[in-house]
Amino acid sequence: MKSFKIQVRVQFKDGILDPQAEAIQSALKKLQFKSVQNVRCDKAFLISLEAESETAAQDLGRKMANQLLANVVMENFEVEVVT
Amino acid sequence: MSRHWAVVQFPGSNCDHDVLKVFQSLSKKYPEIEPVLHWHEDPIEKNVYEVIILPGGFSYGDYLRAGAIAKISQALNNLEEVIEAGAHVMGICNGFQILLETRLLPGYLQVNKSLKFISDTVSLKIEDEAFPWFTKKNKGEVVRYPIAHRFGNYQLSKIDKGEMKPVLKYQENPNGSIDGIAGVYRTLGKGSVFGLMPHPERAFFEDLRLTDGQPIWQNAVENLI
Amino acid sequence: MSQAISKEGLDPIRELAAAVGLSDKEWNHLIFVLGRHPSESELQMIGVMWSEHCSYKSSKRYLKKLITKGKYVLEGPGENAGLIALDAERGIAFKIESHNHPSFVEPFQGAATGVGGILRDIFTMGARPIALGDYLRFGDLNLEKHQYLLDGVIGGIAHYGNCMGIPVVAGHVGSGSSYNGNILVNVFALGIVDRNKIFRSNTGKPGQVVMVWGAKTGRDGIHGASLLASADFESGKTETKEQKIRVQVGDPFKEKVLMEATLECMQSLSSDLAAIQDMGAAGLTSSTTEMAAKSKIGMKIDLSKVPVRETGMKAFELLLSESQERMLAIVEKGSEEKFKAILNKWGCEGEVVGETDDSELLRMTFDGQTVVDLPIQKLMDAPPADLPEPEWPAVQSQAYKIPDEIKKEWEVLEKLLCHPSVASKKEIFKRYDTTVGAATVFGPGQEASVLWVGSKEHPHLGIAFKGVADENFYQLNPRFGAKAAMAKAVRSLSCVGARARAFTDGINVGNPKNAKTQAALSETVEGLNEAIIAFETPCVSGNVSMYNQTVSDGVPRDIYPTTFVVVVGVMDDVRKAVPSLFQSEGSEIWLLEIPGNRELFPEASLYAREFFPELKPSVCPFLDLEGEQRLQNALLKANDLNLMLSCRDVSTGGLAVSLAKACFSEKRFGFEGDLSKTQSRRDQLLFGEAQGRVILEINPNRRSELMKLGAEFNLQIRKLGNVTQDPTFRIRPTLSGSIETLFQAWSSVFK
């Protein structure tokens, strides 16, 4: 077993209403950041764990995302091994 | 089937005692009803409870997503089979959020359009019958229930719909829910699942001067007992 | 006395003593009692214990004069919260507390942890909290900074209260430039307790076990209570990183489970739970010292056993940490595991950290080393502070000419309705869950809040409460301010049909070293006592917040002395609670008032402040406490007779403002009145703030009963007008316009 740090990034699927992102976008415009075209609010989870290999670590991350960290009705996720 | 009516208690539930108070009041008139407070760590077996309420509150502090952590509790492990065997489950507010996380009802709840918590008393139209809660007679009626939530903006894609039907709609949309939907319902086997954001348990007692929630509980008594 | 202490930097422990806030006198007193120099940890503890926040050293001499006994009182000031009787089986626990300075530094967390603290005070007594009220003062709300503070404070209260499932059913938001550098955040909570299961902090005995319950301890808020609560807030210096770090972060979910676990322990292990105290300000220090001293026992604590969240914490950090959501409990030996089982069930820590003995010493070890060994009884009280004698600056009665000019009435009315202290707070209260608990009969916006607390024996029993402070009255004359606040609160309770039983006071003043602050304290207590005697409503709990100052032009200025009183009352039948909005078309509106001379220019009114700012008030409005008693009895009798359709007090903004607000129901009734025959100045009549007046709505066929009531209680009555279907607001001969216009103005301020 080796130690890994993985990052699970959870984001709303395309077309899912995200009032928070909308509010942030309009606030940025108000602050004269006129070039802002889009804002997305993602969640990132940094998880330290033990696994046989990098692939196994990534698999575990996917399972966690599917079962708990993301609501796949409205969210997508990406799993990345950081270290 | 027994006449045990259960309220599931999660850490962070805060409307559990309110629903229990309603059940206790009903059981004065209908002693067959035995109200039960059910701890989330104890599994629920088939055919033990006739009615199961997932109450409002902030289960697990609403951390991660409202309802996301409560969904993996022991009590909800076999929820689908329990319902198919005949239980009628109602999820109120946070309970609705939990039901959506279990996928037994379609759709999801987003933060309110205003991004703020909203507490108010709102007018709702009963769109359809929903055994045992609403009868044909109730269809079209307008009732006033309190609401109190931050994540009550119900959204749904068409493909999600399935057997679900919207049974409660806001007269004036407070939170941005699609089509003004406030509550959705489906039958499942011999039982049913009903999820709603408003609080009918806070509109029950005459002393509080708002009794529009009485029919929903009264119907359940009459339809089941 | 030990040898003289060198002043300048030679002695590090002496330097630390200054750093933790000890005066020379206090240092000498400490050395005298100990007979040696204190250890570093001891000094840190003493610094906190003798801070203003924990010792009340600058206010004690007045507070001890407050009348705190009465027939309903079960527990007066000194415990976590006050207690009065509700019925033969149950009691009401309640208290108000301030979180002013933390909220100015970080409004969201400051206000949130304020809610957390006051709720712990309530459930520590064994009571289940059922209601919250928030009493807030901001600076000028046109300033962006204060809009940010308002939003943050409201957000913090909502966050914590909503998650806990305790409804916020009352509150008041006011503003004024005296709070520009120092806002007020006072939070009130109320709960219900089984009279056979009341818990206290002073009931520990030798030979028992000391436990820490709840959350793990981190470095939150080190020195928060002692330093933040006494910081002089200078503009521009308020958001330093150091100050932010000291602010504690609250976790309402943790508190919710701690509350459920604590209440379950109290329910099922009541005979094993000897004593309990909330770990609030200065956490472990104040809870261990107070419990040991009040119980008159000794305590041995092993700090290494305190569950921690961070690594490498030092003894003094453990002692001073203000990590939230923790309790200190003293339990019978052998019962520890039973408590742990309940706490763990709810996901809370429950760890044995020490034991009690009969030594009267507080001893603490850390990693096997003794770090604290204090004769705690002898050190509980700070040596008396050197304070100036109270002196309230005499107000020169100005020889100003009373303006003959009477402003355009409609414009005045609209402007007063838009004033932040009058304007609708509906949008604020929409962020609070006001109905959770299924007990709210009257929430925010009514004359007083009413909660249904029916039991088998008393199915319709209710509790009502009302919180009040008019800082302009306090600034004019603190004794009058206190009496007016009490009278107004009692009157509001009478309007809804509840009889006042007791109150809690939240005193907020400036620097105690100012003679004026001392006078504000002294006079406020005198005023409260006069009202306590008149209404038989003793003070059962309270809080004092000092050093509330705003720097302007480089000079620190005290805020207006502001004492919130929250009066709690009981009513037999909540179904008879009287609303404050007009109920039906055609009913008659009457003014019921205490007789007396009101023929003055409306000094000390919102109207005068807004339209004649150059006139400094020197005369207090009319107030008659004996008359207020009669008014209270008359209103309660009117309620017995079911005479009132609606009822409201005439307060800020005066009669016209109160009448207009009574029309703002969803139905938007109008009002048609005629005051053309009265002799008084119109502005005095419409906008003056004389006390002792209420507006009654009655069915016209019950007029004679009202007349009889007026005669019986020696009160004046006069008909003001009628409720109309037509949504027009009219007071003949000169005031007239659309109700909708007034409503929009009133609703436009807080969004």
Side-chain angles (χ1 to χ4, degrees):
Chain A
M1 295 290 242
K2 280 188 271 180
S3 293
F4 293 95
K5 201 179 258 179
I6 59 169
Q7 178 179 277
V8 181
R9 178 179 285 277
V10 176
Q11 61 208 214
F12 286 121
K13 289 179 175 172
D14 283 346
I16 294 284
L17 175 87
D18 184 354
Q20 194 180 334
E22 280 175 26
I24 292 167
Q25 186 168 341
S26 67
L28 288 172
K29 290 236 162 100
K30 217 163 119 185
L31 290 169
Q32 305 301 320
F33 292 102
K34 287 190 176 148
S35 57
V36 172
Q37 293 180 329
N38 189 33
V39 175
R40 213 177 63 184
C41 302
D42 290 3
K43 273 185 266 189
F45 303 88
L46 279 171
I47 299 167
S48 307
L49 48 69
E50 293 203 324
E52 294 287 355
S53 64
E54 208 174 302
T55 337
Q58 218 158 8
D59 278 351
L60 279 170
R62 255 181 238 121
K63 276 189 186 150
M64 291 176 196
N66 261 314
Q67 288 177 29
L68 184 68
L69 301 179
N71 176 346
V72 294
V73 174
M74 57 175 173
E75 292 165 330
N76 289 326
F77 61 84
E78 291 158 13
V79 182
E80 189 190 336
V81 176
V82 185
T83 50
Chain B
M1 187 182 262
S2 71
R3 298 287 183 231
H4 289 93
W5 287 23
V7 182
V8 183
Q9 187 179 39
F10 302 95
S13 293
N14 62 32
C15 307
D16 42 352
H17 288 279
D18 302 354
V19 181
L20 210 61
K21 204 154 80 172
V22 171
F23 286 180
Q24 280 155 355
S25 166
L26 289 170
S27 73
K28 271 183 218 153
K29 216 165 138 194
Y30 307 95
E32 308 92 307
I33 297 173
E34 275 188 55
V36 180
L37 194 60
H38 183 100
W39 183 241
H40 71 111
E41 279 181 336
D42 302 328
I44 296 179
E45 303 298 336
K46 279 190 271 188
N47 300 324
V48 174
Y49 299 136
E50 185 172 53
V51 167
I52 300 170
I53 306 294
L54 308 185
F58 287 69
S59 58
Y60 296 93
D62 271 3
Y63 297 138
L64 189 58
R65 292 181 307 278
I69 300 180
K71 124 191 119 171
I72 56 176
S73 66
Q74 283 291 318
L76 304 190
N77 234 346
N78 311 315
L79 191 61
E80 193 164 350
E81 290 159 43
V82 171
I83 297 168
E84 280 173 344
H88 297 282
V89 173
M90 183 199 277
I92 303 166
C93 200
N94 192 231
F96 184 21
Q97 292 160 341
I98 296 168
L99 283 176
L100 292 172
E101 284 286 337
T102 66
R103 313 281 149 77
L104 290 173
L105 286 171
Y108 58 94
L109 287 160
Q110 260 291 22
V111 65
N112 296 338
K113 223 174 154 191
S114 64
L115 303 183
K116 286 179 179 166
F117 192 95
I118 303 173
S119 161
D120 209 346
T121 298
V122 297
S123 295
L124 300 148
K125 191 168 173 196
I126 301 168
E127 296 281 324
D128 215 329
E129 62 180 308
F131 183 88
W133 313 106
F134 295 126
T135 65
K136 251 193 198 117
K137 231 177 58 199
N138 298 128
K139 202 172 155 174
E141 284 174 2
V142 173
V143 290
R144 284 170 63 77
Y145 296 166
I147 54 167
H149 57 248
R150 201 164 97 84
F151 286 85
N153 180 352
Y154 182 68
Q155 298 297 329
L156 178 81
S157 57
K158 264 194 189 130
I159 32 166
D160 280 341
K161 243 179 181 172
E163 295 155 46
M164 177 280 275
K165 55 183 182 182
V167 293
L168 265 186
K169 285 190 181 177
Y170 301 107
Q171 294 281 88
E172 276 174 63
N173 197 337
N175 52 24
S177 292
I178 190 163
D179 263 352
I181 294 174
V184 297
Y185 171 89
R186 68 179 284 205
T187 55
L188 185 61
K190 291 191 218 160
S192 68
V193 199
F194 181 22
L196 72 167
M197 287 316 294
H199 289 273
E201 80 280 15
R202 298 187 194 175
F204 179 83
F205 297 100
E206 268 145 37
D207 289 76
L208 302 181
R209 302 176 187 208
L210 180 64
T211 53
D212 286 12
Q214 281 183 358
I216 205 171
W217 307 107
Q218 194 64 34
N219 285 339
V221 172
E222 282 161 21
N223 283 329
L224 296 174
I225 292 172
Chain C
M1 185 80 67
S2 66
Q3 75 272 32
I5 298 143
S6 57
K7 284 261 175 200
E8 231 82 76
L10 296 170
D11 187 349
I13 196 79
R14 184 68 186 85
E15 264 185 36
L16 182 63
V20 302
L22 291 198
S23 66
D24 287 351
K25 183 176 174 185
E26 286 165 345
W27 169 259
N28 290 334
H29 180 76
L30 176 62
I31 301 296
F32 175 71
V33 173
L34 282 183
R36 61 173 167 86
H37 274 194
S39 73
E40 191 186 319
S41 292
E42 287 173 340
L43 194 52
Q44 295 276 10
M45 286 180 83
I46 296 288
V48 168
M49 286 163 60
W50 291 356
S51 70
E52 191 58 58
H53 186 90
C54 298
S55 74
Y56 287 83
K57 60 187 169 191
S58 305
S59 55
K60 223 185 219 165
R61 58 175 169 168
Y62 309 114
L63 293 183
K64 66 182 184 201
K65 290 187 192 162
L66 266 175
I67 301 167
T68 59
K69 293 200 166 65
K71 70 171 168 176
Y72 294 111
V73 178
L74 303 177
E75 185 73 53
E79 273 298 328
N80 287 292
L83 272 181
I84 61 168
L86 170 61
D87 54 29
E89 296 80 32
R90 298 176 297 168
I92 310 169
F94 63 92
K95 193 183 180 192
I96 192 169
E97 203 156 81
S98 66
H99 235 214
N100 305 340
H101 302 112
S103 302
F104 192 73
V105 174
E106 165 50 57
F108 187 95
Q109 291 298 342
T113 51
V115 174
I118 190 67
L119 287 174
R120 275 196 305 285
D121 283 334
I122 300 302
F123 70 77
T124 305
M125 302 295 295
R128 179 173 280 278
I130 61 165
L132 285 163
D134 59 338
Y135 302 93
L136 314 175
R137 290 291 180 273
F138 296 92
D140 188 344
L141 286 171
N142 293 323
L143 300 171
E144 212 168 296
K145 162 101 183 166
H146 282 269
Q147 281 178 9
Y148 155 80
L149 289 170
L150 172 74
D151 190 61
V153 166
I154 302 296
I157 294 169
H159 167 68
Y160 213 102
N162 294 351
C163 184
M164 287 289 290
I166 318 291
V168 179
V169 298
H172 192 260
V173 180
S175 72
S177 56
S178 99
Y179 309 109
N180 273 356
N182 194 121
I183 61 173
L184 302 185
V185 175
N186 283 211
V187 189
F188 166 87
L190 176 150
I192 302 289
V193 64
D194 176 345
R195 287 175 66 168
N196 294 317
K197 284 184 180 158
I198 293 170
F199 294 87
R200 295 180 172 85
S201 61
N202 62 359
T203 41
K205 292 194 173 65
Q208 293 171 326
V209 174
V210 184
M211 295 180 83
V212 170
W213 294 0
K216 290 189 167 113
T217 299
R219 290 193 177 86
D220 316 56
I222 304 279
H223 270 315
S226 51
L227 291 193
L228 270 187
S230 0
D232 299 325
F233 280 92
E234 294 171 46
S235 46
K237 281 198 187 170
T238 50
E239 281 165 327
T240 62
K241 215 172 173 188
E242 297 93 286
Q243 281 187 326
K244 279 244 176 185
I245 286 165
R246 290 182 189 128
V247 169
Q248 324 88 315
V249 173
D251 178 353
F253 170 65
K254 193 60 162 188
E255 175 129 322
K256 167 72 176 166
V257 290
L258 176 61
M259 176 176 84
E260 294 300 338
T262 303
L263 292 175
E264 191 175 326
C265 287
M266 289 165 162
Q267 198 58 37
S268 49
L269 301 173
S270 63
S271 57
D272 287 323
L273 181 56
I276 184 163
Q277 167 141 348
D278 152 43
M279 279 203 219
L284 204 51
T285 294
S286 55
S287 55
T288 50
T289 52
E290 283 176 25
M291 283 186 93
K294 286 194 214 158
S295 302
K296 297 195 168 32
I297 53 172
M299 221 182 247
K300 252 189 230 159
I301 303 286
D302 182 354
L303 292 172
S304 317
K305 289 189 176 158
V306 175
V308 290
R309 207 187 59 218
E310 297 180 60
T311 50
M313 287 188 71
K314 299 196 181 94
F316 87 88
E317 291 177 316
L318 289 164
L319 282 168
L320 298 183
S321 163
E322 296 194 350
S323 289
Q324 299 288 293
E325 295 92 26
R326 298 180 302 159
M327 304 281 242
L328 194 73
I330 301 179
V331 307
E332 294 291 351
K333 223 168 229 168
S335 67
E336 305 91 318
E337 293 306 316
K338 289 187 273 182
F339 284 99
K340 277 189 196 174
I342 292 176
L343 289 157
N344 293 341
K345 170 190 156 190
W346 285 97
C348 292
E349 301 286 332
E351 202 52 60
V352 173
V353 297
E355 54 191 35
T356 59
D357 56 40
D358 55 9
S359 69
E360 299 201 353
L361 289 172
L362 178 61
R363 284 174 286 190
M364 298 195 180
T365 55
F366 185 59
D367 285 341
Q369 302 272 313
T370 297
V371 289
V372 172
D373 188 353
L374 292 174
I376 202 63
Q377 314 290 347
K378 290 182 198 151
L379 289 173
M380 250 344 254
D381 290 323
D386 294 321
L387 297 167
E389 282 312 301
E391 192 189 333
W392 193 256
V395 184
Q396 301 115 357
S397 47
Q398 289 162 310
Y400 61 71
K401 192 172 172 293
I402 293 172
D404 291 328
E405 167 203 14
I406 289 177
K407 305 276 177 181
K408 279 190 179 157
E409 291 171 3
W410 184 260
E411 281 165 30
V412 171
L413 180 56
E414 260 189 279
K415 185 161 180 199
L416 294 181
L417 284 168
C418 288
H419 190 274
S421 62
V422 174
S424 171
K425 314 295 187 309
K426 181 164 182 181
E427 290 304 314
I428 288 175
F429 281 108
K430 266 171 89 170
R431 294 169 67 181
Y432 303 144
D433 191 340
T434 55
T435 52
V436 61
T440 309
V441 181
F442 286 168
Q446 295 279 0
E447 193 58 53
S449 304
V450 177
L451 297 151
W452 171 50
V453 290
S455 66
K456 213 169 160 189
E457 293 75 22
H458 310 282
H460 306 293
L461 196 64
I463 296 173
F465 72 90
K466 175 73 178 185
V468 180
D470 189 327
E471 58 272 22
N472 294 294
F473 289 165
Y474 281 108
Q475 177 70 1
L476 176 62
N477 178 326
R479 186 184 297 227
F480 175 81
K483 286 194 286 187
M486 288 293 290
K488 154 88 185 160
V490 169
R491 214 182 307 128
S492 293
L493 291 185
S494 313
C495 286
V496 298
R499 185 176 281 281
R501 286 197 174 171
F503 77 102
T504 180
D505 61 334
I507 300 178
N508 303 274
V509 289
N511 189 334
K513 293 178 183 100
N514 293 340
K516 191 174 171 186
T517 298
Q518 290 296 318
L521 287 167
S522 161
E523 286 294 296
T524 297
V525 167
E526 293 297 332
L528 292 175
N529 274 347
E530 283 185 45
I532 292 169
I533 292 165
F535 301 121
E536 296 176 59
T537 49
C539 176
V540 296
S541 58
N543 178 259
V544 180
S545 169
M546 305 250 188
Y547 296 98
N548 293 287
Q549 293 185 306
T550 287
V551 176
S552 64
D553 304 329
V555 185
R557 290 178 210 277
D558 291 347
I559 60 158
Y560 283 10
T562 310
T563 298
F564 296 102
V565 298
V566 186
V567 182
V568 176
V570 171
M571 63 196 305
D572 291 336
D573 190 345
V574 293
R575 295 171 305 175
K576 289 179 70 171
V578 181
S580 58
L581 295 175
F582 291 155
Q583 296 294 303
S584 80
E585 183 204 351
S587 51
E588 289 184 354
I589 303 306
W590 288 74
L591 184 69
L592 186 60
E593 61 183 346
I594 299 166
N597 178 23
R598 294 182 168 78
E599 300 303 312
L600 289 164
F601 177 74
E603 280 199 40
S605 65
L606 182 59
Y607 164 72
R609 284 194 299 280
E610 289 294 300
F611 292 92
F612 303 98
E614 68 283 4
L615 299 181
K616 270 202 151 177
S618 58
V619 182
C620 300
F622 172 86
L623 174 67
D624 169 7
L625 287 181
E626 193 269 329
E628 295 282 351
Q629 275 174 274
R630 298 200 309 275
L631 182 58
Q632 178 190 29
N633 289 329
L635 288 169
L636 293 175
K637 183 160 183 189
N639 188 36
D640 282 342
L641 299 168
N642 294 319
L643 196 56
M644 304 180 280
L645 297 172
S646 75
C647 179
R648 69 188 303 138
D649 176 40
V650 179
S651 58
T652 313
L655 186 60
V657 165
S658 293
L659 285 168
K661 280 162 72 180
C663 296
F664 297 158
S665 67
E666 282 187 12
K667 287 182 189 153
R668 295 277 202 292
F669 290 114
F671 174 75
E672 167 76 49
D674 191 347
L675 294 176
S676 47
K677 290 202 185 90
T678 41
Q679 300 302 311
S680 324
R681 279 178 68 108
R682 275 285 281 192
D683 53 358
Q684 166 64 14
L685 190 66
L686 294 174
F687 308 116
E689 293 181 21
Q691 302 289 297
R693 299 183 295 167
V694 297
I695 298 167
L696 297 185
E697 177 186 2
I698 63 163
N699 193 313
N701 64 22
R702 305 197 64 181
R703 200 182 298 160
S704 62
E705 287 169 83
L706 181 63
M707 305 258 192
K708 232 172 85 186
L709 202 70
E712 183 185 343
F713 290 95
N714 183 22
L715 298 166
Q716 288 172 4
I717 58 166
R718 68 167 127 166
K719 192 183 165 195
L720 296 173
N722 290 79
V723 179
T724 61
Q725 192 70 48
D726 169 29
T728 300
F729 188 76
R730 183 175 290 132
I731 299 177
R732 286 178 202 282
T734 39
L735 181 64
S736 175
S738 136
I739 276 292
E740 200 54 36
T741 309
L742 296 178
F743 179 78
Q744 291 307 332
W746 180 67
S747 311
S748 65
V749 182
F750 294 97
K751 287 285 183 196

